[in-house]
Amino acid sequence: MLCTGRLGGLAARASARPPGRARLGGLRAELRARRVSTGWSPVGAAFNVKPQGFRLDLFGERRGLFGVPELSAPEGFRVAQENALKKTDLLVARVCSAPPGPQTVLIFDELSDALCRVADLADFVKIAHPEPAFREAAEEACRSIGTMVEKLNTNVELYQSLQNLLADKKIMDSLDPETRRVAELFMFDFEISGIHLDKEKRKRAVDLNVKILDLSSTFLMGTNFPNKIEKHLLPEHIHQNFVLAGDHVIVDGLHAEAPDDLVREAAYKIFLYPNGGQLRCLEELLSNRDLLAKLVGYSTYSHRALQGTIAKNPETVMEFLEKLSDKLSERTIKDFEMMRGMKMKLNPQNSELMPWDPPYYSGVIRAERYNIEPSLYCPFFSLGACMEGLNILFSKLLGISLYAEQPAKGEVWCEDVRKLAVVHESEGLLGYIYCDFFQRADKPHQDCHFTIRGGRLKEDGNYQLPVVVLMLNLPHSSRNLPTLLTPGMMENLFHEMGHAMHSMLGRTRYQHVTGTRCPTDFAEVPSILMEYFANDYRVVNQFARHYQTGQSMPHNMVSRLCESKKVCAAADMQLQVFYATLDQIYHGKHPLRRSTTDILKETQEKFYGLPYVPNTAWQLRFSHLVGYGAKYYSYLMSRAVASMVWKECFLQDPFNRAMGERYRTEMLAHGGSREPMLMVQGMLQKCPSVDDFVSALVSDLDLDFETFLMDSE
């Protein structure tokens, strides 16, 4: 999962979901050219031992979070934000007085960088720091920078300086493609604030933006809010599955994996029971998004949201989803029949397949057909072994090594955070990854990637090195046991490291488009591609060793695991098609023809196949409508692109260095500075069609008959 904050016209390009950019003093410039350091140690060993804390640096200078001197204490956020705001004022004055030219774009990017270096860092700290004082100070910094961005987005003189550049055809024609694209992206982000409109409409746009932000926040909170029901309305024998509060049962989720059908049914009907306030909030959010889109010149919110993406427009998205649905339908029906058969076998009295059944019964079928008990796999996937596996893969594919580096005192927010230097065999240090991998109290339960500082070419000719955080929730090691990963955890680690490499290898001139700051339907391609590597025996065989015996993981164990993922996978994909279609309809033509619940019912029956359950409103729990409004299809499209890249470029040899270099130069290096379809084309050496994307996804569902032959030998 990508976490990147969006601040508006002058913020760096947001690359995906709702929330994660920073002059990080302390990342010393002389490290750039360094090839070897006594402070670096092999990555595998570093993750299989407990960190040494800061004993070596007890009397050293306290450096501050991420090496930022001011951030040795929470009060430092105020200093950092004040410095950023002062710099912003100077840069605004400079760009408004300068004649139009390439320098205009450079100053705009520097302006964006000054704000993002505080905002991105604060975005991460406000949710991840264990100390409340740091979290509160970071929250305040986010608000302060956000207020400044709102002010800048309505600064007509600032807008005019960019407009003067874009209106000068001679200068625009002389700019290199990257600079031209970044100028256009700044303008696109500006115009969503309605700055190109007359004064009255501009105020209306600002008001709508503020209202949308508030509604989004309210809706997001409501998606997780538990529902309660009087105890006597539920059979007593299932009370123990829920939280009890006096005379009420509290239901805070779907309990999708519960073996008892009645527990799942009760959870589904109670948790998804419509809340009037949440319903009005969603309707208002969708309506205000539509009003804003129309105000700034788009026919629907979806048309505005899809500008610059691989899909380009909602018509292409719907063509993709409808064609995919058609190709999946027979397979989905077979999956449902298989689940229905399993339900009949286990519960003959009530064998109708309902929406609360697929996660549980597909899991039962998977376990029965393939012996994939996680405890069989975990001993082969110690965290150190997995990190060494990533190191081997990156070394062979890209000439890159990961080295553990001891952080300075105060540089990390928790003593078990590891700092990795990413080093190229000839180019030297490329950037830093902070690995916040372990469970702790109050830490968000999500696996994600945060950009802390974007890469960019500085005025002095040096490159500002990227800095990111990877956040996972892994169990701690103990005295006798290293951290052992389930196959799912291992795959998530590879996925998030795909985002990190996108950030590390982006070498754009401008931080506004660095690394993962690219269109949403492209941003997940590098991370999903890493899942294909994580499921290939040739890759897994390089690192999966039993932590006690050193034995390699048997080939058939990897094969069984890969094939088990295809069990009921068509039905899973069909569910994603349904969600993505619902998202498109909600953000399409307004006013909506029916209520959001009626639209849900109709779409579910057409694009999923299991019946709608009366008095439920799943859309009120659809949190992705906030961060992925009109873009929920992106995961499917990114997967299609990743599948094509895997099959065309890496299936034959996952360690092919020539293909690795092509991947770096055609896809990873450009961030969002090049149109995404051009990057895909450069990698595949052809322009894929919607039909190609659909075929790639569907072919991934086919069982590998070699597996069965091998397992039967």
Side-chain angles (χ1 to χ4, degrees), residues 279 282-283 286 582 586 592 594-601 617 619-620:
L279 194 57
L282 175 60
E283 287 165 353
L286 297 175
L582 188 68
Y586 283 169
L592 296 172
R594 306 177 181 196
S595 73
T596 58
T597 304
D598 285 341
I599 291 168
L600 171 85
K601 179 178 185 290
Q619 77 275 18
L620 304 184

Side-chain angles (χ1 to χ4, degrees), residues 92 103 154 166 457 462 496 516 539 563 649 681 697 703:
V92 169
Q103 198 63 19
T154 54
L166 290 166
L457 189 62
N462 288 320
E496 298 304 334
T516 57
V539 176
E563 293 309 297
C649 307
Q681 239 174 292
L697 287 171
L703 290 170

Side-chain angles (χ1 to χ4, degrees), residues 36-223:
V36 179
S37 165
T38 52
W40 289 343
S41 58
V43 72
F47 281 86
N48 267 359
V49 296
K50 280 195 172 290
Q52 296 304 303
F54 308 110
R55 286 178 298 174
L56 296 177
D57 205 8
L58 281 177
F59 305 104
E61 181 190 351
R62 188 175 173 84
R63 189 172 289 174
L65 287 174
F66 297 103
V68 180
E70 299 94 326
L71 298 185
S72 57
E75 301 74 43
F77 269 108
R78 182 171 292 281
V79 178
Q81 76 198 37
E82 283 170 1
N83 290 343
L85 297 178
K86 279 178 196 164
K87 186 170 184 182
T88 298
D89 288 339
L90 291 171
L91 289 167
V92 169
R94 191 170 142 207
V95 78
C96 289
S97 61
Q103 198 63 19
T104 307
V105 184
L106 280 170
I107 300 170
F108 262 83
D109 191 63
E110 203 176 337
L111 190 53
S112 173
D113 187 56
L115 294 166
C116 291
R117 286 194 305 202
V118 178
D120 281 348
L121 194 153
D123 248 347
F124 170 72
V125 172
K126 76 179 183 184
I127 69 158
H129 203 289
E131 293 177 34
F134 266 103
R135 294 200 300 268
E136 286 159 20
E139 181 80 60
E140 178 53 41
C142 285
R143 273 197 295 272
S144 171
I145 298 291
T147 302
M148 171 55 90
V149 169
E150 281 175 33
K151 188 176 157 190
L152 294 174
N153 284 344
T154 54
N155 184 325
V156 178
E157 198 182 351
L158 188 62
Y159 164 73
Q160 200 58 55
S161 67
L162 190 60
Q163 181 62 42
N164 291 342
L165 171 67
L166 290 166
D168 193 321
K169 188 176 184 304
K170 189 177 177 186
I171 296 177
M172 286 298 286
D173 288 346
S174 72
L175 299 178
D176 63 273
E178 184 179 355
T179 302
R180 203 159 48 237
R181 179 168 167 83
V182 171
E184 288 163 356
L185 289 173
F186 273 122
M187 182 56 78
F188 172 73
D189 286 344
F190 245 137
E191 290 185 345
I192 195 56
S193 299
I195 199 163
H196 56 303
L197 305 172
D198 63 44
K199 192 174 179 181
E200 192 181 321
K201 286 180 179 172
R202 193 158 66 239
K203 184 181 183 311
R204 176 92 176 111
V206 170
D207 290 345
L208 282 168
N209 269 308
V210 171
K211 199 169 182 187
I212 287 166
L213 208 59
D214 289 344
L215 287 165
S216 296
S217 178
T218 304
F219 181 77
L220 208 51
M221 280 194 291
T223 58

Side-chain angles (χ1 to χ4, degrees), residues 32 53 88 121 132 150-151 162 204 208 258 345 352 366 388 447 519 525 542 611 650 686 688:
R32 284 183 70 259
T88 298
L121 194 153
E150 281 175 33
K151 188 176 157 190
L162 190 60
R204 176 92 176 111
L208 282 168
K345 180 177 163 186
E352 187 187 357
R366 205 173 287 124
E388 194 50 51
D447 294 347
V525 173
Q542 296 284 317
F650 297 110
K686 66 176 183 184

Side-chain angles (χ1 to χ4, degrees), residues 631-656:
K631 296 181 183 179
Y632 191 82
Y633 77 92
S634 295
Y635 182 78
L636 285 167
M637 192 162 276
S638 286
R639 182 164 287 282
V641 173
S643 174
M644 291 186 75
V645 170
W646 171 256
K647 287 166 192 155
E648 299 275 336
C649 307
F650 297 110
L651 179 59
Q652 201 173 346
D653 176 8
F655 305 112
N656 186 320

Side-chain angles (χ1 to χ4, degrees), residues 594-625:
R594 306 177 181 196
S595 73
T596 58
T597 304
D598 285 341
I599 291 168
L600 171 85
K601 179 178 185 290
E602 186 183 291
T603 310
Q604 181 170 329
E605 284 163 5
K606 183 179 175 186
F607 284 93
Y608 188 42
L610 294 186
Y612 165 77
V613 178
N615 296 314
T616 62
W618 179 84
Q619 77 275 18
L620 304 184
R621 302 293 186 178
F622 193 7
S623 59
H624 287 86
L625 287 173

